[in-house]
Structure formats: C-alpha cells, structure tokens
Amino acid sequence: MKLTLGFSPCPNDTFIFDALIHHKIDTEGLEFEVFYDDVETLNQKAFRGELDITKLSYHAFAYVAGKYVLLDAGSALGFGVGPMLISKSEFSISDLNNSKLKIGIPGKYTTANFLLGLAFPEATNKQEIVFSGIEDALLDEQIDIGLIIHENRFTYQDRGLKKIIDLGDYWEKLTGCAIPLGGIVANRSLPLDVQHKINRVLKKSVEFAFANPKSGLEFIRSHAQEMSEEVMYKHIGLYVNKYSLDLGEEGRKAINLLFDTAREKNIIPEIKEDIFLSPPAKGEE
C-alpha cells in the first residue's frame, strides 16, 4: 500500500522519518511517496486534504480535525522549544502591542502565530514569510520584528539580532504545560487498521532514530541547507523527545489545553471530532 507523506526538511522531521522512508524498520507493507515542504505549505495542503499523512501545526490541525486524526507518535511538544520574537533594533515587550510595527510570521496557521495572538492580541500588522527568510527580512529592514521557529533559535544571535521574548516561556508560565508545536496526522478516509499501522511504524522509526542517532546523518544533512552538524543535533534535541514516541497523558493534556484556550479566545473554530487516534482493537497492539 502506497501512501502520500508530507513533512518538513527540518532536522527534527528528517530524523524522525529517516528509518521509515528508508526501510530501516519493518513498515508492515507500507510504501511512502514523500513531499518535503515548509510547515505552512503543509498546513495548506492539509486544508485541501491532499496527503494521506502529514506534519502540520497544532494551530492548523484545529481547522482540519474533521479530515485528519492525530497520531500518538511523531509530535513536537516540549519545554524551552517555543517560537521567539526577535528584532534588529531595540524593542521592549511593551512595544509588541503597537499595531504599527510590522511583524514577520512563518504562516497564519502556525502555532507560533497562535501564541503571538494569544500573548499580544493588538499586534496585528503581520507579513507572512517562509520561516527561513525571516532573519534576512529583519536585516534588510523589511519588517520590524520577526517571529522565528525551528533552527533559527540557534542562529539569530550570530547575525546580530536580539531576542524580545520567548513565546514558549510565556506559554509555560501561563499553563505549566509543554507547548504543542506540530503533530503528525493521518487522513480519516484511511481504514482504522491502516491508521494504527502508520502509528506503529512511525513509533518504530522514532525508536530506531533514538537508538541509532547518527544513522540518518547524511539524509538529515542533505535537507538541512548549510546547518552545521552541531546545530542539526541541537535542533533535534529540542524537538524530538518522549512526546515524539507517544503523546501520553501529559501530551494529550497539553494539546487539549491549547485548543481550549484558543476556543475561549475565538482563535480557532469549535472542534466536534475526537482529535486523538482511538485505541487499537484487541490483538492489534
């Protein structure tokens, strides 16, 4: 059975999926046609229901829960991993509700933008930019403030840019929970046994990556542009953790809290479906 699969070229995703797409584990008869896209492009593909399996932002998932179900494996949640607001010039936190300041965001439906709206609701002058171009846009003074994600956490200071606030810290202090950033979802049109099979092989892929962290080095590097190996593995260390193996009770609580908070603020629509993959039938574990 061949399935379409979308994930980002970022080190955390290539680390997670390396064993699965290169058959370093038993994929139980599944084959994959892979699409590599930035997270907002993946979000848009999910809105159109284009892929069988995809990475997407938790913010975007709220809009497609009727089409996709969240897998237990593959998610990016954690502490100290949130998006950050940075600038070239000096700005204070109190400046962030100034609607005249232009903020570059990595996509309307990213979890990063959700957190920005939650923390600074008056910061509405936004420009969507591919996440990897936000630092350049700041340096070229096309924007005043940048909302950065992924490996830019490790590179912005090297380019003379300054942190204003870490929105992950904001969330953690507000809730005491890990911040849910992105998850892996499967199309609800797939049979339930196939959804569980995908979840099983994905978990095996993460387990293999943890046990053999350098196995996918060349694959990870081939998609990581000019990132150093040190930065690649710092990135992986931040975003791939116990929640990537299995959301567990803690992970599910954090996701439910994110969605409940967003609903209270009218940031997302009401979700009528059960967002989590149902338990496997007896004998399928």
Side-chain angles (χ1 to χ4, degrees), residues 132-198:
S132 55
I134 287 177
E135 287 182 1
D136 286 337
L138 275 173
L139 293 169
D140 294 341
E141 300 183 356
Q142 297 169 18
I143 55 176
D144 301 301
I145 294 168
L147 180 58
I148 57 169
I149 57 175
H150 301 324
E151 64 270 14
N152 295 108
R153 288 182 65 94
F154 307 112
T155 59
Y156 75 94
Q157 289 176 306
D158 296 337
R159 306 187 74 183
L161 299 169
K162 306 170 182 68
K163 180 176 83 169
I164 305 171
I165 186 174
D166 185 324
L167 292 176
D169 288 343
Y170 165 83
W171 173 260
E172 290 163 29
K173 288 171 183 171
L174 183 70
T175 66
C177 289
I179 176 63
L181 297 168
I184 310 299
V185 297
N187 202 301
R188 291 183 186 270
S189 65
L190 296 169
L192 186 58
D193 65 317
V194 174
Q195 295 175 23
H196 282 290
K197 185 181 289 189
I198 295 163

Side-chain angles (χ1 to χ4, degrees), residues 12 18 39-40 42-43 55 72 81 86 116 119 122 141 158 163 175 194 198 209-210 223 229 231 244 261 267-268 284:
N12 58 307
D18 169 61
V39 68
E40 186 65 0
L42 293 170
N43 290 341
K55 169 77 173 280
D72 288 319
V81 300
I86 63 169
L116 175 60
E122 293 175 31
E141 300 183 356
D158 296 337
K163 180 176 83 169
T175 66
V194 174
I198 295 163
F210 277 139
H223 289 281
E229 185 174 329
V231 169
S244 308
T261 305
I267 294 174
I268 62 169
E284 282 188 12

Side-chain angles (χ1 to χ4, degrees), residues 209-223:
F210 277 139
N212 306 275
K214 294 298 178 79
S215 174
L217 177 59
E218 291 310 311
F219 172 61
I220 297 164
R221 182 182 281 139
S222 71
H223 289 281

Side-chain angles (χ1 to χ4, degrees), residues 14-156:
T14 49
F15 179 80
I16 281 174
F17 283 102
D18 169 61
L20 181 147
I21 65 172
H22 294 121
H23 295 278
K24 297 177 182 180
I25 56 165
D26 177 9
T27 61
E28 302 185 31
L30 297 179
E31 300 282 341
F32 302 94
E33 181 183 1
V34 181
F35 298 86
Y36 303 95
D37 291 298
D38 70 277
V39 68
E40 186 65 0
T41 299
L42 293 170
N43 290 341
Q44 295 296 331
K45 285 186 175 182
F47 293 154
R48 297 189 294 270
E50 289 183 10
L51 299 171
D52 296 315
I53 312 154
T54 187
K55 169 77 173 280
L56 83 175
S57 302
Y58 273 108
H59 184 188
F61 179 46
Y63 291 85
V64 295
K67 295 178 183 176
Y68 289 93
V69 64
L70 180 64
L71 302 182
D72 288 319
S75 277
L77 287 81
F79 294 93
V81 300
M84 299 171 66
L85 287 167
I86 63 169
S87 61
K88 180 180 179 181
S89 304
E90 291 287 348
F91 289 107
S92 67
I93 292 174
S94 61
D95 292 323
L96 293 171
N97 270 321
N98 181 347
S99 61
K100 293 181 181 179
L101 292 176
K102 184 181 287 186
I103 302 176
I105 63 170
K108 180 179 179 181
Y109 294 102
T110 57
T111 304
N113 188 45
F114 158 70
L115 284 174
L116 175 60
L118 185 65
F120 303 102
E122 293 175 31
T124 55
N125 186 10
K126 301 173 182 179
Q127 178 179 335
E128 292 188 57
I129 300 170
V130 174
F131 80 92
S132 55
I134 287 177
E135 287 182 1
D136 286 337
L138 275 173
L139 293 169
D140 294 341
E141 300 183 356
Q142 297 169 18
I143 55 176
D144 301 301
I145 294 168
L147 180 58
I148 57 169
I149 57 175
H150 301 324
E151 64 270 14
N152 295 108
R153 288 182 65 94
F154 307 112
T155 59
Y156 75 94

